[in-house]
Amino acid sequence: MAKRSLSEKLSILADAAKYDASCASSGGERRNSSDGKGLGSSGGTGICHSYAPDGRCISLLKILMTNFCIYDCAYCVNRASSRIERARFSVEEVVYLTVEFYRRNYIEGLFLSSGIIRSPDDTMADMVRIVRTLREQENFRGYVHLKTIPDASPELLDEAGKWADRLSINVELPTQKGLDQLAPEKDLTEIRKAMGEVRLRREASREKTYRGKRKAKFAPAGQSTQMIVGADGANDRTILHQSSNLYANYALSRVYYSAFSPIPDSSRILPLKSPPLVREHRLYQADWLLRFYGFEAGELADDGMLDLDVDPKLSWALRHRAAFPVDINTAGKEMLLRVPGIGTRSVQRILGARRHRRLRYEDLAAIGANMKTAKAFIVADGWSPGGLTDAANLRARFAPPPEQMLLI
Amino acid sequence: MHRVAIPRIGALAVWRAAARGFLRDGIRPEEVDWSGADTLFDRLPEASDQGRAGSSYTLSKAALGTIETALSHSDPDRYARAYQVVWRMAHGDLRFGDRSDPQMHKLLDHAKAVRRDIHKMHAFVRFREGPPHGERRAFAAWFEPEHPIVEAGTPFFAKRFGDMDWVIATPTLTATFKNGTLTYAETSDAKPPPDDAAEELWCTYYASIFNPARLMTRAMQSEMPKKYWKNLPEARLIPDLVQTAQSRSRAMQEAAPTQAPAFFEAIARAQDRAEEASPDAMEALRRRAAACERCDLACHATQTVWGQGPVDAPLMIVGEQPGDQEDLAGLPFVGPAGQLLRALAQDVGLSIDDAYVTNAVKHFKFTPRGKRRIHQRPNVGEVEACKWWLDLEMRLIKPRLVLAMGATAARALTGRNGAMAARRGRVEPGRHGGDVLVTLHPSYLLRLDGAAKVQATQAFCADLARARDFQRDSAQAVGDVAVGGGGTPGNGDLSGLHRG
């Protein structure tokens, strides 16, 4: 094979990484280089440095160390049986790209993932070497997200957590059945064990020693995972149950949902259609409700799938009209959080303002609530929804107009 | 009328000093003209008045921060509005953050717009490298913000790019960072710096990371408005990427899957060889249990928590089920209850490491609640399903005494239910034909308080002591037969019992 240029490798190995949804660079340890001895800063909110025409942000240099892989996961473009171009970065090349891109303010840091070459341990050791070089030789203080290999040894995981801000392991599919069918080498138990290991190490690193010293930080920005939506037959309820289980079990920072999109040289056992982007969007909304609004997985997709026409919170409200209208001036926080059109920040503002005075309809608009949605579900001074809450056509006001089906 | 000229550089400090003085002297907002751009101000109150207690109104940190942020807006009335807001707040006429007040609302909106503009500056400044200044590499950028935010937005870059020199020029001001010092000046040279070869690589990355099957140009533009595009090198790729997206995506869907490359077969063969059975019976059992799906608990828990200890242990200790920590670590008795057991066992001189410890149920049962897991007691069906594994463990270990901790373990081992108060401390016949000593579960002790706790702990320790006596007797017996002198008499010094 002819030797590839850096630009050719970058194009192959970035292309291979584009199916990973994660892009966050927020949270974690606060660092900066105002001492003049290093490069970079991190902590607080992440920054999206650009946006691709697919609407997704570009915050990190998201690349694979290599797209050679001994696994044969059907949904993955890099699977062993796929005839795509293969390439491999050297340690120096990844370090060079990260530092030079960072210096020009193109990125917040590095998201490094890899196909599995030789063995999980060999692959993980190579990835750890890249991050260590960045940190030790280049004094790089930007963000690093490392996609760990579930079967790699605990010692390597330990080192990975020492250098990286965030670790992640993709569960890829919500059930073991799906994995057996599409990713024969992957084992949900192995993935969970690795996540459990990360959680234990993170907790241990936060405990102070008995002399009051802080231990070395371990993956300060937490861990995350990704599930592919629409490649196997799992429904939204299964997916959301799996997510809430993962949040509770391993204190994950994020679960990413990635609508399965056609890949070059695709396997025969996969659906060949456009990615279910609306479904992906609804899952993100539902996930948000799980984490910040006190909803439970079972409430949101009670007949299996989320409503594609309206968002999951509005959908829940339309199915539970007996709980509405909610009196903005007296309702508790839990109930305010369940009102469609009112977000967490609006709830905070409502509670803050309520300490001084009663709220009127106009105040809610000023506070930032989406009154077009909220007005059917609330009572405020000078406003009562009357029959609107129970109106038969309420759903139709929000749902997109019906579409003519194609005849072919 | 008081006139104040706000300079282009250092505006915040001038406004703050002036506003503080006016407020102290009771000068009403209508009496101040903040637009004295080209005349020298008539009177600027002296800057520092911090020594005079009670003479000035104190703003909260959050309020002052928001007001100062709003002052970086391009609205010409911003200085007057900010003083009016402060005046009204100082006179109890306005509460900070009250959005129903139009003036406050506008100020908060301006602060938000400025924060967004600053954020976009942090995101969209693109440095190009120039000739180095001595040791330090040097970079320059041209950026066009919507509001006068250079002073508010550039300290970020000083923290981020501390080891290099850089210049960020905008149509009004230029920020220069040299040898660790940040300075501002009026812009003299209003043009972008020369090209940088790294931009080609960046554009390669930008084009490759885009997934043509997910075209969403509206989402892109809402976050990266066109007004910023002309200074973003990657933006010139957008029209072409958008235009060819559909055909690329269709081509992918239509292309038939091809034959797997030659190395695929070789990899598959190598992996088959690696999978070979373990000769060790306990290890084989552990592996089979790891894939257990005899009940639904396996779908939620992390892993099967198998027993731990020597396979020839005369004493076996059986608890109820793994908890949160055990589930994560994959080891029995590492959580709070396990730690209590180990501490109490050490007190009475029972060696846990010489016993085989396991649980009646091998998976953690819980309900997720936010980021926590609430422990749940396993039901009869789950205990029955898991008895299969417990029986196999018993058959391998062949314990001469089993210590059953808690009702679940007692039931699984003896097949009988009954109030623990009556059963604890008794030796019952086990289903396996041997003796079962029934005792409390240490997690029960964790839930008690006061006298009840002391009493229950004493009872538990008494049972542990019986297990210890048994452990000593059997060690003595082994010692008599084999090497001799293995058992150490009295004093709870059990070091002699530990394996080398």
Side-chain angles (χ1 to χ4, degrees):
Chain A
M1 188 169 52
K3 203 164 157 47
R4 296 184 193 283
S5 71
L6 182 58
S7 171
E8 283 167 330
K9 287 185 185 181
L10 179 61
S11 121
I12 293 170
L13 293 169
D15 189 285
K18 72 186 174 196
Y19 304 97
D20 216 309
S22 167
C23 66
S25 53
S26 56
E29 196 179 14
R30 284 184 182 274
R31 296 184 295 258
N32 65 59
S33 59
S34 48
D35 60 359
K37 292 184 189 114
L39 170 68
S41 57
S42 79
T45 54
I47 298 173
C48 303
H49 286 269
S50 193
Y51 289 81
D54 52 20
R56 298 201 281 186
C57 98
I58 298 175
S59 160
L60 303 169
L61 171 63
K62 204 189 306 184
I63 46 173
L64 259 57
M65 185 177 75
T66 175
N67 64 343
F68 284 104
C69 191
I70 57 174
Y71 285 8
D72 198 45
C73 307
Y75 52 78
C76 179
V77 63
N78 307 312
R79 68 187 187 284
S81 63
S82 147
R83 266 185 190 271
I84 48 154
E85 282 190 275
R86 311 268 174 175
R88 183 178 179 184
F89 278 131
S90 69
V91 173
E92 293 71 30
E93 284 169 330
V94 175
V95 169
Y96 172 82
L97 283 173
T98 309
V99 169
E100 294 308 312
F101 278 10
Y102 196 90
R103 285 196 185 280
R104 285 161 181 81
N105 204 39
Y106 299 157
I107 51 170
E108 285 290 286
L110 173 66
F111 177 119
L112 187 62
S113 177
S114 180
I116 294 169
I117 38 168
R118 298 190 303 276
S119 75
D121 270 2
D122 284 330
T123 309
M124 188 78 180
D126 287 352
M127 292 171 81
V128 167
R129 198 170 309 130
I130 289 175
V131 191
R132 194 179 56 213
T133 310
L134 266 177
R135 296 285 194 225
E136 286 192 325
Q137 274 180 27
E138 301 292 326
N139 286 316
F140 180 67
R141 293 165 196 173
Y143 192 88
V144 178
H145 178 155
L146 210 56
K147 175 126 294 164
T148 55
I149 315 287
D151 307 319
S153 75
E155 293 75 40
L156 286 168
L157 186 71
D158 211 26
E159 224 194 321
K162 191 171 138 197
W163 302 117
D165 292 272
R166 174 171 283 184
L167 298 179
S168 65
I169 305 161
N170 284 356
V171 300
E172 305 292 14
L173 298 164
T175 61
Q176 183 63 49
K177 215 176 99 194
L179 283 176
D180 290 344
Q181 192 194 346
L182 299 178
E185 289 90 356
K186 290 210 172 184
D187 180 355
L188 200 49
T189 306
E190 284 304 318
I191 294 167
R192 284 174 173 174
K193 273 160 80 169
M195 289 180 172
E197 186 83 29
V198 171
R199 190 190 125 185
L200 281 180
R201 278 168 201 267
R202 268 169 58 71
E203 283 170 357
S205 76
R206 273 182 298 212
E207 279 169 16
K208 286 189 180 163
T209 63
Y210 79 105
R211 286 192 173 166
K213 275 193 191 158
R214 284 210 169 275
K215 293 182 191 160
K217 290 247 169 53
F218 187 87
Q223 57 172 335
S224 61
T225 194
Q226 167 174 300
M227 257 188 271
I228 297 173
V229 177
D232 65 343
N235 64 14
D236 292 343
R237 188 173 45 194
T238 311
I239 292 172
L240 291 173
H241 270 297
Q242 176 69 285
S243 296
S244 55
N245 184 282
L246 290 171
Y247 283 125
N249 285 12
Y250 313 114
L252 290 192
S253 313
R254 282 292 291 276
V255 175
Y256 290 91
Y257 305 93
S258 174
F260 176 72
S261 80
I263 48 173
D265 196 19
S266 163
S267 160
R268 256 172 246 278
I269 53 175
L270 284 170
L272 278 177
K273 55 184 182 195
S274 301
L277 296 178
V278 180
R279 189 177 168 203
E280 177 193 279
H281 179 57
R282 295 287 179 236
L283 280 169
Y284 274 117
Q285 290 177 318
D287 182 272
W288 212 260
L289 295 179
L290 293 182
R291 287 186 295 149
F292 302 111
Y293 288 81
F295 281 88
E296 282 182 27
E299 293 178 289
L300 291 170
D302 32 16
D303 28 318
M305 296 300 272
L306 293 166
D307 194 334
L308 291 182
D309 291 341
V310 296
D311 73 74
K313 194 178 179 189
L314 180 56
S315 171
W316 183 88
L318 289 168
R319 281 177 288 128
H320 295 84
R321 298 202 203 175
F324 298 97
V326 164
D327 188 335
I328 291 295
N329 282 302
T330 58
K333 188 178 172 189
E334 294 74 25
M335 205 54 222
L336 287 176
L337 283 169
R338 293 199 167 221
V339 179
I342 298 187
T344 45
R345 191 173 300 181
S346 295
V347 169
Q348 285 307 334
R349 287 176 181 163
I350 289 170
L351 293 174
R354 249 169 36 175
R355 281 201 290 267
H356 305 279
R357 60 197 175 82
R358 291 182 60 83
L359 289 167
R360 300 183 55 80
Y361 183 91
E362 306 78 65
D363 297 331
L364 291 170
I367 268 172
N370 175 359
M371 294 311 286
K372 208 176 137 227
T373 313
K375 67 179 178 189
F377 302 98
I378 55 162
V379 173
D381 283 7
W383 171 256
S384 159
L388 197 53
T389 312
D390 300 313
N393 67 348
L394 186 57
R395 187 175 188 284
R397 284 165 163 259
F398 301 112
E403 242 176 272
Q404 172 77 51
M405 294 270 280
L406 291 175
L407 287 172
I408 37 162
Chain B
M1 196 62 159
H2 302 272
R3 285 170 71 83
V4 183
I6 303 283
R8 198 125 69 157
I9 300 171
L12 285 191
V14 172
W15 176 85
R16 184 144 75 155
R20 192 187 275 151
F22 289 145
L23 195 62
R24 184 195 55 214
D25 298 344
I27 293 166
R28 304 183 58 81
E30 305 85 80
E31 300 173 60
V32 187
D33 176 8
W34 295 89
S35 63
D38 41 14
T39 53
L40 279 176
F41 44 85
D42 298 333
R43 166 181 173 268
L44 181 65
E46 64 269 42
S48 178
D49 59 345
Q50 285 184 333
R52 289 188 232 169
S55 64
S56 67
Y57 167 69
T58 315
L59 279 169
S60 77
K61 211 173 159 187
L64 181 66
T66 307
I67 291 169
E68 291 197 339
T69 304
L71 287 177
S72 293
H73 199 274
S74 51
D75 182 355
D77 296 336
R78 61 193 183 276
Y79 298 111
R81 182 181 304 106
Y83 182 57
Q84 250 170 350
V85 162
V86 173
W87 173 271
R88 288 176 58 204
M89 278 165 44
H91 290 81
D93 182 32
L94 178 65
R95 190 170 53 78
F96 184 75
D98 183 356
R99 282 163 193 273
S100 62
D101 181 85
Q103 231 169 13
M104 179 62 79
H105 200 249
K106 191 150 204 171
L107 185 129
L108 293 174
D109 272 357
H110 281 180
K112 189 176 171 187
V114 168
R115 274 196 296 269
R116 184 174 161 90
D117 203 30
I118 291 174
H119 186 80
K120 293 301 176 196
M121 179 186 206
H122 294 168
F124 298 148
V125 156
R126 295 283 182 263
F127 283 120
R128 290 172 170 172
E129 184 159 25
H133 301 157
E135 291 271 285
R136 290 161 72 91
R137 292 172 68 179
F139 293 80
W142 171 256
F143 186 70
E144 294 171 26
E146 198 177 331
H147 301 288
I149 55 164
V150 174
E151 284 173 276
T154 42
F156 165 86
F157 294 98
K159 281 186 181 168
R160 172 156 292 195
F161 302 105
D163 72 348
M164 61 193 219
D165 289 345
W166 49 262
V167 172
I168 299 174
T170 73
T172 51
L173 296 186
T174 294
T176 304
F177 186 73
K178 201 163 183 184
N179 293 323
T181 315
L182 183 57
T183 51
Y184 302 97
E186 300 269 349
T187 297
S188 55
D189 190 11
K191 67 168 195 281
D195 287 355
D196 182 326
E199 276 177 11
E200 272 312 305
L201 273 175
W202 171 241
C203 289
T204 302
Y205 175 69
Y206 183 80
S208 311
I209 203 71
F210 159 58
N211 183 352
R214 311 177 47 115
L215 192 64
M216 280 198 266
T217 40
R218 260 214 318 226
M220 167 184 69
Q221 277 192 38
S222 77
E223 296 296 338
M224 192 167 74
K226 274 195 170 159
K227 64 182 177 193
Y228 297 111
W229 286 17
K230 67 174 173 167
N231 292 314
L232 293 170
E234 67 271 24
R236 63 185 152 83
L237 302 176
I238 294 173
D240 190 47
L241 288 176
V242 171
Q243 238 167 35
T244 54
Q246 268 197 325
S247 58
R248 282 173 67 194
S249 173
R250 214 177 23 246
M252 258 191 307
Q253 289 181 48
E254 281 164 3
T258 49
Q259 190 102 42
F263 67 83
F264 176 59
E265 288 291 316
I267 291 170
R269 276 198 305 277
Q271 279 178 338
D272 283 345
R273 277 199 302 276
E275 298 223 341
E276 50 187 43
S278 156
D280 184 346
M282 190 56 133
E283 191 49 40
L285 211 53
R286 175 203 295 277
R287 278 207 201 177
R288 277 172 59 201
C292 174
E293 283 175 9
R294 294 178 63 84
C295 69
D296 285 344
L297 295 187
C299 337
H300 308 292
T302 301
Q303 53 194 319
T304 306
V305 180
W306 193 246
Q308 193 187 26
V311 187
D312 56 352
L315 175 68
M316 183 157 159
I317 301 177
V318 183
E320 186 191 35
Q321 67 159 341
D324 183 71
Q325 298 287 306
E326 286 84 0
D327 172 74
L328 297 176
L331 297 169
F333 294 103
V334 293
Q339 281 163 21
L340 180 64
L341 169 69
R342 281 165 204 275
L344 294 177
Q346 196 173 15
D347 288 347
V348 303
L350 170 72
S351 164
I352 294 280
D353 292 341
D354 286 333
Y356 182 87
V357 291
T358 190
N359 283 299
V361 172
K362 314 283 187 220
H363 276 120
F364 179 38
K365 185 178 182 184
F366 64 93
T367 42
R369 180 105 16 105
K371 285 208 167 183
R372 291 187 310 134
R373 307 195 282 183
I374 312 296
H375 168 273
Q376 299 231 293
R377 184 178 281 270
N379 62 33
V380 177
E382 287 148 359
V383 177
E384 284 299 313
C386 223
K387 219 163 68 187
W388 154 270
W389 294 115
L390 184 62
D391 287 350
L392 286 172
E393 268 177 311
M394 302 275 283
R395 230 179 279 167
L396 272 179
I397 306 287
K398 298 190 192 69
R400 278 181 289 142
L401 180 69
V402 186
L403 182 64
M405 300 196 302
T408 305
R411 192 200 134 85
L413 288 161
T414 66
R416 282 184 299 279
N417 273 328
M420 285 304 287
R423 292 175 84 184
R424 85 128 274 283
R426 287 206 330 229
V427 175
E428 299 183 10
R431 289 186 306 109
H432 66 297
D435 288 341
V436 176
L437 173 57
V438 178
T439 189
L440 308 166
H441 196 277
S443 64
Y444 171 69
L445 305 179
L446 290 174
R447 291 195 290 268
L448 291 176
D449 256 338
K453 181 169 191 151
V454 174
Q455 204 182 359
T457 306
Q458 272 170 0
F460 183 65
C461 286
D463 296 337
L464 290 184
R466 288 179 68 187
R468 172 204 63 202
D469 292 342
F470 165 80
Q471 205 177 34
R472 257 180 219 173
D473 291 347
S474 45
Q476 191 78 55
V478 172
D480 289 346
V481 178
V483 204
T488 318
N491 296 337
D493 174 15
L494 290 163
S495 53
L497 278 179
H498 286 283
R499 293 143 177 279

